[in-house]
Amino acid sequence: MLEIREIECLLTLSDNLHFGRTAEHLNISQARVSQVVSSVEKRIGAPLFERSNRHVRLSSLGERLVSRLRPLYTELTHAYEGAVAVAQGFEGTLRLGITDPSLLSVAASVVRSFRERYPTCEVWIVPLRPGELLGSLHSRTTDLALARLPVRDPGLTAGPVVLREPRMLVTGPGHPLAGRPSVSVEELAGETIIRPPDDAAHLWQDLHYPRVTPLGRRLRYRTAAGTGDVWHSLLSELSDDRPVALVPASETPPPTATGLASSPVHDLPLVSAGLLWCTAEENARIRGFARCVPDPDLPGQDPSGRHPSRQDSSGQCHGFAPALRADAADFPAADNPGCPAPGQPIVGECR
């Protein structure tokens, strides 16, 4: 019979196909990994891995064994974590506020990881307008929020950053800067930059809408007309090819649907989004959800037990309407991306 540590060693080695990386992942010596594998192979009576000076790979018997062990190990892990979750207070509901529809896809990934680890806790998505963000956390309408940064509030804790992305310049198809491989913010000094109709914009415009370029050239802005959907307002302004817009990459409209062109702005700082919650209301469910956030700087990392960085401020910006329940599947699309509403103090990502 195999022991749990032996199963973990076999599965980890089958993933890495490298004794050194397996030892590092399991926090044991490379000699111990070799000893465990040899012991299992000796008891089975046949090799599970083929080794040479250049590579390690599974034997046909090893592939068969690993394919059967993996789902059993996953089920065993989930059963154990489920029991721990109940014992540590993970039962109940976690209400996650989201201020920007473009963050739904990254939120869905974290929610699925959380529900796999803590199946006794449900997650409800509460769409928020930017002006509702701080009030919803302090009034306990939401337990935590996923929001555009920065956001400063002494009563809030900034959890892990879930997304860092570049700014994109969006123009009409006939604009001189349209479709360029890359654009400098210095080239925007003579342009009129459209920003969303947001009464709270003055609270966070220094990061999202800088007043001057790195070389000190003044940037000129105009607020989009209308009070409805942000992109409806911006599209109506951009249609004459002259104004431009600066948006996070995840909010860039698809060119096939809008006819607009977009280019990355290479000399503006990245913008980010992250979790934040009321410090006084922190609990096991919130900490568990934060641990399911993968490092945004390590693409493809499995959301695991990474503890959130702890600061005392965080998050911010863009919005929509009613509350949705989060299933293990993707979230339903928001039907009203809305425009940002009047707001409150907004704060920044601490790094």
Side-chain angles (χ1 to χ4, degrees):
M1 183 65 67
L2 293 175
E3 297 181 2
I4 190 68
R5 293 298 181 190
E6 292 175 325
I7 295 174
E8 290 175 339
C9 187
L10 293 175
L11 294 179
T12 305
L13 182 56
S14 72
D15 290 333
N16 290 282
L17 296 177
H18 190 283
F19 280 80
R21 287 195 294 269
T22 298
E24 183 179 351
H25 184 89
L26 296 176
N27 199 28
I28 59 177
S29 69
Q30 186 170 329
R32 178 57 181 159
V33 174
S34 297
Q35 182 183 11
V36 169
V37 173
S38 296
S39 174
V40 174
E41 289 177 329
K42 183 177 180 180
R43 297 196 320 260
I44 289 177
L48 302 175
F49 294 88
E50 297 174 0
R51 296 95 141 167
S52 74
N53 292 333
R54 294 187 163 218
H55 68 261
V56 176
R57 63 187 177 196
L58 282 164
S59 67
S60 58
L61 178 60
E63 290 180 351
R64 181 178 178 184
L65 178 62
V66 165
S67 68
R68 299 189 68 178
L69 285 178
R70 195 177 298 280
L72 297 175
Y73 178 76
T74 300
E75 185 63 30
L76 180 63
T77 300
H78 287 170
Y80 173 76
E81 290 180 344
V84 171
V86 173
Q88 295 183 354
F90 280 94
E91 284 189 304
T93 301
L94 188 70
R95 297 160 299 177
L96 174 65
I98 297 183
T99 60
D100 188 332
S102 68
L103 299 176
L104 281 170
S105 60
V106 68
S109 175
V110 180
V111 168
R112 283 194 293 271
S113 177
F114 178 79
R115 290 191 59 157
E116 287 175 1
R117 295 186 64 176
Y118 308 111
T120 58
C121 184
E122 294 190 0
V123 180
W124 286 78
I125 303 303
V126 183
L128 299 171
R129 293 179 179 271
E132 300 170 336
L133 172 62
L134 300 181
S136 73
L137 291 168
H138 288 299
S139 67
R140 305 177 191 176
T141 304
T142 56
D143 300 298
L144 73 169
L146 174 57
R148 291 283 176 186
L149 303 175
V151 178
R152 245 180 217 98
D153 185 301
L156 299 182
T157 291
V161 171
V162 302
L163 176 69
R164 290 192 184 96
E165 58 183 341
R167 231 79 61 87
M168 303 293 288
L169 175 71
V170 180
T171 70
H175 193 279
L177 297 175
R180 293 261 297 272
S182 180
V183 175
S184 168
V185 68
E186 302 295 338
E187 298 178 84
L188 305 185
E191 302 291 338
T192 297
I193 304 172
I194 300 299
R195 65 184 177 197
D198 181 3
D199 293 339
H202 67 282
L203 297 170
W204 46 275
Q205 65 182 2
D206 287 346
L207 176 64
H208 288 262
Y209 300 111
R211 298 174 186 176
V212 296
T213 71
L215 295 182
R217 305 175 69 188
R218 182 166 295 278
L219 296 174
R220 183 173 66 246
Y221 295 94
R222 188 171 83 230
T223 301
T227 57
D229 171 84
V230 172
W231 275 112
H232 183 272
S233 300
L234 292 179
L235 287 170
S236 65
E237 296 281 345
L238 293 170
S239 60
D240 64 4
D241 290 335
R242 292 312 309 164
V244 300
L246 282 173
V247 299
S250 62
E251 294 183 25
T252 306
T256 53
T258 63
L260 298 178
S262 60
S263 302
V265 182
H266 60 77
D267 49 359
L268 281 178
L270 300 180
V271 289
S272 57
L275 293 179
L276 58 152
W277 58 85
C278 188
T279 304
E281 301 301 321
E282 182 177 312
N283 55 40
R285 291 190 292 273
I286 291 173
R287 289 191 294 271
F289 191 87
R291 283 195 294 268
C292 290
V293 176
D295 190 327
D297 298 324
L298 295 175
Q301 178 186 335
D302 181 57
S304 59
R306 176 176 169 271
H307 195 280
S309 57
R310 299 297 301 275
Q311 293 118 20
D312 55 8
S313 52
S314 88
Q316 194 259 313
C317 214
H318 305 302
F320 48 48
L324 310 168
R325 177 174 174 175
D327 289 319
D330 288 336
F331 299 143
D335 53 14
N336 176 23
C339 61
Q344 318 210 347
I346 299 288
V347 312
E349 175 191 350
C350 303
R351 300 174 80 175

